[in-house]
Amino acid sequence: MATPILMENPLRQGLFADRVPAPCSLVIYGASGDLTHRKLVPALFDLYEKHLLPASFSLIGISRSKISDEEFKQGLKVALKESEPQLSDSLWNSFSQNFHYMAGGYDDFKTYQALSQMLDQVDQENGTSGNRIFYLSTPPNVFENIISNLGAAGLAKEEKGFARIVIEKPFGHDLESAQELNQKVKEVFKERQIYRIDHYLGKETVQNLLVMRFANSIFEPIWDRRYVDHIQITASEDMGVGSRAGYYESSGILRDMFQNHLFQVMSLVAMEPPVAFEANAIRDEKLKILKSIRPFNENTVYQWAVRGQYGPGYLSGEKVPGYREAEGVNPKSNTPTYAALKIFLDTWRWHGVPFLLRSGKRLPKRTTEVAIQFKQPPNLLFKTNVSDLSPNVMVIRIQPDEGITLKFETKVPGMSMEVRTVNMDFRYGTSFAEGTSEAYERLLLDCMLGDATLFIRGDEVEAAWAALMPVLNHWETTEPERHFPNYEAGTWGPAEADNLLEKPWRKWRRL
Amino acid sequence: MAVSAQMIEKDLAELWKSDPGEKTKIIGLQRVYTTNLVAYASDHEEGYRADLIMNDLAEKHPGRYILIRPAADKSEAPLRYYVLGHCFFGSGREKKVCCDLIKLVAQNEVIENLYGFTFSLLMPDLPVEFWWPGDLPYQNVYFDKMAEQSNRVWVDSSKFKDPIQSLSRLSAFWNSRYPHTLLGDLNWIRVQRWRALIAEMFDGEWAKYLKDVKKVSIAYGKGTQPTRSFFLACWLAAQMGWKYKGKRISEFPEKFEFEGPQGEVEVVLTPVPVRDIKLDRIFAIGLTTDGNQPALFTVIRDEDPHCVTARSEINQRVAFTRTVTFEHLQSNELLNVGLKHMEPDFIWKQTLQVIGTVLEKPDLTLV
Ligand SMILES: NC(=O)c1ccc[n+]([C@@H]2O[C@H](COP(=O)([O-])OP(=O)(O)OC[C@H]3O[C@@H](n4cnc5c(N)ncnc54)[C@H](OP(=O)(O)O)[C@@H]3O)[C@@H](O)[C@H]2O)c1
């Protein structure tokens, strides 16, 4: 797709970096924070080095901390040096020449008026053409304040150029607050101006799910209830809650991982082919999947949802404390750090096929993957016991070591008819010289280009919350079935998760 | 005994059976092929360098690598071969990734005829990249047959002894003779980053200055051929629709002119002494406009030898500066960049067409 900038500037044509955004200013709220330092600015630097940052670009950081332009830049430089130890002064100075900082309260209207003036001045001096992106990288309790003030200051209007708003996760705390936030943001911005981030969608392998499914003709015919026994989606972390205990206590694993990342990955795995590779066509199909999730009720919430919390244990041979012992956590906390859900999608394609989703903290390792487990062959020609047979499995590894593995049966060489399972393995890291880009790099670039394909639409967020609310409500109003902590740090979660499997041949994958 | 493809394949199969992983306690070993890369070295020295480069490339583009090189000693057998497994750690670290390298060492009387043998060694269904590291040959059967059968041929015009004749020949005969084969030039990849830096100065509201460009000045390292500078000038002409208006040239001139939609555009190539000739042969480029608001767009090597700075001045006021890293790319890195992209490079094709209008017509009887 030729971007406007390519059409205006013929010299851009044919350069490998041909997705070049138009000049713009990026305003980051909460710029003194961790995300800006560790993710956003390093991602911008990578875009800069790849000639993908527009020539006229400026960054304005806003937060309450009273620091000067120079202190702000110095802080960013120190953080960038962590990932770019070779960074020279001339390179840094050139990259950051149009970086500015403004101290101010998120509820102080004067800050927004001053910002408006500053943006006009930057447009004149740097040629940023009135294009603006507002990135909300603060804790969510100030999102609404910032949004309404941006509206009041006229900054959401698209008079000279575009105005876009990027909203970090979490988008809402439950269905009601997500609806409220959607309403607030839509009072000020139109849906096409809104970019709700789920950084999982920026990951290369997640995007490859679409390519794998819809650029090949061999998978789609077997991608349904006739051939698929069940699908497992796992996102495990070996880390504990660390310094995020405060946030975690009020959110828990369902809000932190399921409502956004796991549900998004599930939608991409399960959706129907979109009519075009275009933001709304793809999001329409994802929405249908989220809406087709069979609602949890008083009975199924027991049968299809398992919660857990880690106690003390060992990771890599080292003793680690339990969740309740972390600083900032209530010693009687019932916040789940593990969940496993069995989800049924009431669609023609997936009728009766369980989607088994699990995620947890302090599991043995950090892995995210999708495993499609196919049905057994109908006729047991080579084995007599069903349990001797290994089903075909296709695994799409999202992180680390991105790639795809297909597991199938072969004959062991020799006179007897011995059958053994082998893996056919494709790894991104070994087949392509190009390293995969950081998710934020891709998402920032797409937002500058106005491509919302990898961002979540308002109705998707609400559908995801709606599906999850019965489980959340139930868990928040009842005691766990078995007292927490119910799994040891460094293990694969509570044993109850096995109850979701239902059939003897189904097992949680050992990763 | 005559060498056959079956013998080579058998040796390779043996090689992979004796899993080198076992000795180093590596859990798994995985063979990966993403491409075929064939290189033909015309002399011993070139063969040695091509060998090193292929070893390095194998890690980035695992595939079947075939290197043809002349025997150093006349008394050796007409054709000898070596098979080598090339293994390295992939990104996952727990597995070794392997691919293979076949070296064919041949006496002069057989070497050109090894094309059929090469075909039999190629991995089916994978693209064939043919790399010719030396001077563009005349009437070389191997080159001709491989160019017909490959997906792409890579040359390096910085290695051409007579760049004007050779480029003029490539421009004149490539499309008609090898209509299904792409032509890549590593020297063209070297100018890519210069193109990017020049291009980004004309984004957005600065695009309007492009049509007013009246003069293109390029400074290049004294004592070298200004082939890359010439590429840049012809690329600008191709993209801007400038037409060459002078006499066809048989050596690189200091000045030449194009006719643009808004009048004449002068190109000046100036040799300048540079500290380290290896860094790059282009030292600086400047584009001057003569519209209502005179503007100057420059890309110049920085004091820091690893950086260059792009800068534009409009009405004598600095409108834009940007410094970026700019490491000198070796042949392996250039090939690495080239191999990543399979699609035709139309801009190179158009530039080569412009080059064909400027240079003296080639003697096609010699092709
Ligand atoms: N860090 C990550 O890796 C990550 C990953 C995914 C999503 N996110 C999301 O991205 C956003 C920013 O993350 P972050 O880690 O950068 O957050 P952070 O460091 O906790 O906060 C960012 C900035 O917001 C301001 N702030 C903090 N607490 C505030 C409060 N109660 N009221 C008003 N302002 C407050 C602070 O700046 P001042 O005090 O100077 O105003 C702080 O520097 C969050 O919504 C987070 O959920 C972060």
Side-chain angles (χ1 to χ4, degrees):
Chain A
M1 184 178 62
T3 51
I5 198 138
L6 250 159
M7 292 185 274
E8 284 165 18
N9 178 359
L11 303 187
R12 278 281 188 188
Q13 286 169 5
L15 287 171
F16 294 146
D18 58 0
R19 275 169 42 96
V20 186
C24 65
S25 299
L26 173 66
V27 179
I28 303 181
Y29 280 93
S32 57
D34 174 68
L35 186 74
T36 308
H37 286 75
R38 257 187 343 105
K39 297 280 184 195
L40 301 182
V41 170
L44 290 170
F45 183 74
D46 286 339
L47 291 174
Y48 172 83
E49 281 280 85
K50 291 176 185 163
H51 299 275
L52 288 170
L53 205 58
S56 301
F57 172 80
S58 58
L59 184 153
I60 301 172
I62 302 185
S63 44
R64 299 166 307 180
S65 307
K66 293 201 167 30
I67 48 171
S68 65
D69 266 15
E70 272 325 300
E71 285 166 318
F72 174 60
K73 287 200 209 179
Q74 189 54 29
L76 297 178
K77 183 178 175 186
V78 170
L80 183 59
K81 280 227 168 193
E82 297 268 314
S83 54
E84 305 278 341
Q86 307 291 343
L87 181 75
S88 71
D89 282 348
S90 57
L91 211 55
W92 167 258
N93 292 339
S94 170
F95 169 58
S96 65
Q97 62 188 323
N98 294 322
F99 286 15
H100 311 276
Y101 180 80
M102 193 185 259
Y106 305 114
D107 53 357
D108 181 358
F109 188 60
K110 282 198 212 92
T111 317
Y112 296 82
Q113 290 171 313
L115 172 68
S116 179
Q117 281 171 6
M118 190 176 203
L119 282 168
D120 288 340
Q121 195 183 335
V122 164
D123 281 344
Q124 279 200 338
E125 285 171 7
N126 290 344
T128 34
S129 313
N131 293 326
R132 284 116 198 230
I133 296 173
F134 303 96
Y135 197 119
L136 307 194
S137 176
T138 59
N141 57 331
V142 286
F143 285 176
E144 292 190 10
N145 229 325
I146 300 174
I147 292 163
S148 52
N149 275 304
L150 283 173
L155 286 165
K157 291 201 193 105
E158 298 192 300
E159 278 161 359
K160 283 189 281 174
F162 62 70
R164 296 180 187 143
I165 185 159
V166 183
I167 304 178
E168 259 298 340
K169 78 160 206 182
F171 196 95
H173 184 72
D174 50 24
L175 177 60
E176 204 181 326
S177 56
Q179 283 169 331
E180 251 170 54
L181 182 55
N182 260 338
Q183 197 190 333
K184 269 271 161 4
V185 67
K186 282 184 189 166
E187 280 168 14
V188 178
F189 292 92
K190 298 194 176 68
E191 180 61 46
R192 62 170 171 74
Q193 295 174 278
I194 307 168
Y195 292 72
R196 295 172 194 81
I197 282 226
D198 181 337
H199 68 266
Y200 258 53
L201 294 183
K203 291 180 189 289
E204 198 78 35
T205 342
V206 173
Q207 294 157 42
N208 194 36
L209 260 170
L210 291 175
V211 176
M212 207 199 66
R213 286 193 57 199
F214 304 127
N216 295 298
S217 58
I218 55 172
F219 302 123
E220 216 38 34
I222 53 169
W223 212 258
D224 64 17
R225 64 176 192 286
R226 288 170 304 164
Y227 295 95
V228 175
D229 179 77
H230 74 278
I231 292 178
Q232 287 185 25
I233 303 179
T234 305
S236 64
E237 281 185 58
D238 52 356
M239 306 275 280
V241 281
S243 58
R244 293 172 67 220
Y247 158 74
Y248 209 83
E249 268 290 86
S250 64
S251 64
I253 192 81
L254 286 181
R255 292 189 174 87
D256 197 37
M257 294 300 291
F258 283 69
Q259 183 274 334
N260 36 47
H261 309 323
L262 291 193
F263 276 13
Q264 282 295 320
V265 172
M266 179 180 73
S267 324
L268 292 172
V269 172
M271 73 187 214
E272 293 299 319
V275 289
F277 191 71
E278 179 269 321
N280 275 332
I282 291 174
R283 300 192 295 181
D284 286 346
E285 297 304 334
K286 283 197 296 168
L287 177 67
K288 285 184 203 160
I289 292 296
L290 293 168
K291 285 193 160 173
S292 75
I293 295 175
R294 190 178 303 166
F296 286 85
N297 61 33
E298 278 160 24
N299 295 325
T300 56
V301 80
Y302 285 104
Q303 294 162 14
W304 297 347
V306 171
R307 56 182 144 168
Q309 187 193 74
Y310 64 87
Y314 288 87
L315 252 155
S316 315
E318 264 182 46
K319 191 161 173 49
V320 291
Y323 175 71
R324 290 178 175 182
E325 292 152 54
E327 207 185 308
V329 173
N330 175 355
K332 290 188 178 151
S333 169
N334 275 337
T335 303
T337 61
Y338 173 98
L341 299 185
K342 177 151 70 179
I343 288 179
F344 288 100
L345 302 178
D346 285 327
T347 66
W348 191 285
R349 186 191 282 259
W350 295 115
H351 182 80
V353 178
F355 281 68
L356 299 167
L357 274 50
R358 66 175 161 164
S359 178
K361 291 207 166 285
R362 284 283 189 232
L363 301 183
K365 62 172 164 181
R366 177 172 173 262
T367 304
T368 305
E369 63 150 56
V370 178
I372 291 112
Q373 183 159 325
F374 294 93
K375 289 188 170 159
Q376 310 281 20
N379 189 356
L380 301 181
L381 269 187
F382 304 107
K383 297 218 168 152
T384 44
N385 284 329
V386 176
S387 57
D388 289 345
L389 272 178
S390 295
N392 294 130
V393 182
M394 180 169 192
V395 181
I396 300 156
R397 288 186 305 278
I398 293 171
Q399 65 185 15
D401 199 13
E402 298 95 330
I404 297 169
T405 299
L406 186 65
K407 207 169 102 173
F408 58 97
E409 303 290 280
T410 51
K411 179 184 175 304
V412 178
M415 297 304 152
S416 62
M417 188 49 83
E418 206 171 316
V419 178
R420 185 82 54 81
T421 309
V422 292
N423 277 349
M424 198 158 73
D425 213 3
F426 158 77
R427 279 151 198 259
Y428 267 84
T430 56
S431 297
F432 295 112
E434 191 88 14
T436 51
S437 306
E438 278 285 321
Y440 276 100
E441 199 183 324
R442 172 68 196 253
L443 295 172
L444 280 167
L445 178 65
D446 279 6
C447 177
M448 288 189 247
L449 287 165
D451 180 352
T453 310
L454 303 178
F455 294 84
I456 307 172
R457 212 167 51 189
D459 46 8
E460 283 184 84
V461 178
E462 291 182 19
W465 277 119
L468 213 51
M469 285 321 293
V471 188
L472 274 171
N473 288 338
H474 177 75
W475 284 2
E476 280 167 8
T477 51
T478 56
E479 283 290 313
E481 297 66 40
R482 186 154 65 93
H483 285 306
F484 277 0
N486 61 353
Y487 72 99
E488 202 181 301
T491 64
W492 279 109
E496 292 87 330
D498 285 351
N499 301 342
L500 303 185
L501 299 168
E502 207 181 355
K503 303 277 194 262
W505 61 82
R506 288 185 190 147
K507 287 189 184 70
W508 284 109
R509 284 169 46 74
R510 186 179 49 76
L511 305 177
Chain B
M1 193 170 61
V3 175
S4 70
Q6 284 89 331
M7 284 161 75
I8 294 182
E9 294 291 357
K10 196 163 157 246
D11 282 3
L12 276 171
E14 279 300 313
L15 187 78
W16 295 121
K17 244 192 228 168
S18 57
D19 178 352
E22 279 169 20
K23 288 172 210 144
T24 43
K25 289 215 179 66
I26 281 152
I27 303 164
L29 185 146
Q30 190 185 11
R31 281 160 75 190
V32 179
Y33 300 94
T34 58
T35 188
N36 289 287
L37 182 84
V38 180
Y40 181 104
S42 306
D43 60 41
H44 195 68
E45 174 68 14
E46 216 171 81
Y48 174 73
R49 266 186 286 121
D51 196 351
L52 292 179
I53 289 171
M54 287 174 112
N55 265 298
D56 190 78
L57 268 181
E59 244 169 73
K60 301 187 175 93
H61 303 273
R64 167 143 301 178
Y65 284 67
I66 303 171
L67 171 62
I68 322 279
R69 50 185 269 196
D73 186 346
K74 287 257 173 281
S75 62
E76 287 169 358
L79 177 63
R80 285 174 304 136
Y81 72 90
Y82 304 88
V83 294
L84 278 101
H86 185 94
C87 294
F88 51 92
F89 284 104
S91 63
R93 291 279 145 195
E94 84 272 26
K95 275 205 178 170
K96 260 197 167 182
V97 178
C98 300
C99 59
D100 42 44
L101 176 58
I102 302 167
K103 290 188 209 175
L104 301 176
V105 182
Q107 295 293 356
N108 281 341
E109 57 277 18
V110 294
I111 194 163
E112 268 195 47
N113 298 326
L114 287 178
Y115 52 88
F117 194 53
T118 310
F119 297 156
S120 67
L121 291 171
L122 295 174
M123 281 274 181
D125 288 338
L126 289 179
V128 179
E129 305 269 2
F130 175 40
W131 172 36
W132 188 271
D135 192 14
L136 190 70
Y138 281 94
Q139 295 171 330
N140 182 301
V141 188
Y142 191 89
F143 183 91
D144 189 48
K145 299 284 184 198
M146 280 304 293
E148 270 174 15
Q149 294 293 324
S150 303
N151 294 69
R152 180 161 52 187
V153 175
W154 288 102
V155 295
D156 183 350
S157 60
S158 74
K159 302 280 163 57
F160 292 171
K161 295 205 173 92
D162 182 350
I164 294 202
Q165 255 299 312
S166 301
L167 285 168
S168 165
R169 278 169 57 211
L170 288 176
S171 165
F173 73 63
W174 195 268
N175 290 337
S176 53
R177 196 168 178 107
Y178 310 114
H180 305 298
T181 310
L182 303 177
L183 172 68
D185 181 356
L186 301 188
N187 213 18
W188 168 249
I189 295 179
R190 288 186 182 99
V191 279
Q192 188 184 316
R193 290 166 315 152
W194 287 94
R195 283 167 51 205
L197 281 164
I198 298 167
E200 64 193 9
M201 288 192 289
F202 293 99
D203 279 344
E205 65 182 70
W206 292 310
K208 60 177 183 271
Y209 291 95
L210 258 180
K211 64 175 185 354
D212 296 328
V213 170
K214 281 286 164 266
K215 185 173 175 186
V216 178
S217 319
I218 307 176
Y220 65 96
K222 201 171 179 172
T224 62
Q225 292 275 17
T227 317
R228 276 169 236 168
S229 313
F230 185 66
F231 279 177
L232 274 184
C234 292
W235 160 68
L236 283 167
Q239 295 309 102
M240 297 306 301
W242 304 336
K243 302 272 176 283
Y244 183 60
K245 53 182 267 191
K247 258 177 48 190
R248 285 174 173 274
I249 58 170
S250 55
E251 55 186 85
F252 289 118
E254 280 178 17
K255 263 189 202 163
F256 52 104
E257 277 110 36
F258 289 102
E259 188 65 45
Q262 315 268 345
E264 201 167 89
V265 183
E266 184 184 38
V267 178
V268 182
L269 307 180
T270 315
V272 292
V274 283
R275 248 179 298 157
D276 186 352
I277 201 81
K278 275 210 213 83
L279 275 179
D280 201 298
R281 287 164 188 161
I282 299 175
F283 182 69
I285 175 160
L287 276 68
T288 320
T289 71
D290 76 344
N292 293 342
Q293 294 181 311
L296 174 64
F297 298 83
T298 54
V299 185
I300 303 180
R301 285 202 167 279
D302 211 53
E303 276 174 20
D304 177 343
H306 304 294
C307 292
V308 294
T309 298
R311 179 184 154 98
S312 60
E313 268 176 43
I314 292 166
N315 263 341
Q316 297 184 336
R317 197 180 68 83
V318 177
F320 164 81
T321 65
R322 175 178 274 198
T323 304
V324 292
T325 37
F326 208 82
E327 301 290 349
H328 177 73
L329 293 181
Q330 307 290 344
S331 298
N332 54 341
E333 291 154 327
L334 294 168
L335 266 171
N336 174 29
V337 174
L339 295 182
K340 276 185 206 165
H341 302 274
M342 274 310 294
E343 62 278 15
D345 183 348
F346 288 110
I347 306 299
W348 167 230
K349 217 169 159 179
Q350 285 164 19
T351 304
L352 198 58
Q353 268 167 12
V354 173
I355 289 173
T357 65
V358 181
L359 301 180
E360 196 174 59
K361 286 206 165 142
D363 181 354
L364 287 177
T365 56
L366 286 176
V367 171

